[in-house]
């Protein structure tokens, strides 16, 4: 059974930073591309960033490019998202997502999102 457990969210002031983690289990983590997606209050799911299975290639949504960094540690079965220069519009529930392929995801809706998510709130 695929399990994804996000952590690391919190309340931060504009301009601050957070590091999100996603612990994966139940599948061969190193074989699949992964993404982060988010859902702001009252809005739909938004793809944020993706990384290929070996961690050599990443892509970002225009809204976070230059501020967020996705990475993975295949030895630890863990996905990360470093959030810098946070803005109020980054406030959302953040989820990690597993893809059915290994190449770098980009604005794709083909994913499995099974975790509870971690809340990021950016407010002064």
């Amino acid at each position: 059974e695929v399990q994804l457990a996000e952590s690391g969210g919190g309340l931060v002031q504009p301009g601050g930073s957070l590091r999100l983690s996603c612990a994966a289990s139940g599948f061969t983590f190193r074989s699949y591309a992964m993404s982060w997606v988010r859902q702001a209050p009252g809005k739909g799911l938004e793809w944020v960033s993706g990384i290929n299975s070996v961690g050599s290639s990443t892509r970002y949504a225009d809204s976070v490019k230059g501020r967020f960094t996705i990475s993975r540690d295949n030895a630890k079965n863990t996905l990360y998202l470093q959030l810098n220069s946070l803005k109020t519009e980054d406030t959302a529930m953040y989820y990690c997502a597993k893809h059915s392929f290994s190449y770098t995801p980009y604005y794709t809706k083909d994913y499995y999102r099974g975790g509870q998510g971690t809340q990021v709130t950016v407010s002064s």
Side-chain angles (χ1 to χ4, degrees), residues 30-123:
R30 63 180 182 274
S31 296
Y32 295 95
M34 298 290 293
S35 283
W36 286 95
V37 300
R38 67 185 180 184
Q39 187 166 25
K43 296 188 177 181
L45 284 166
E46 176 190 14
W47 179 84
V48 173
S49 179
I51 187 167
N52 67 350
S53 60
V54 298
S56 61
S57 177
T58 58
R59 300 294 299 269
Y60 298 92
D62 292 342
S63 58
V64 307
K65 195 176 299 181
R67 300 187 299 118
F68 291 7
T69 303
I70 190 172
S71 62
R72 65 192 295 163
D73 185 335
N74 285 349
K76 296 182 178 179
N77 288 355
T78 304
L79 179 72
Y80 302 100
L81 187 67
Q82 178 69 40
L83 291 69
N84 296 332
S85 302
L86 281 161
K87 304 175 180 180
T88 55
E89 53 262 44
D90 294 318
T91 295
M93 186 72 77
Y94 284 71
Y95 302 91
C96 63
K98 172 191 173 295
H99 296 284
S100 59
F101 49 83
S102 62
Y103 54 85
T104 314
Y106 186 60
Y107 283 110
T108 177
K109 295 184 178 181
D110 174 19
Y111 55 77
Y112 170 81
R113 176 182 60 88
Q116 298 291 319
T118 187
Q119 177 68 40
V120 172
T121 302
V122 185
S123 175

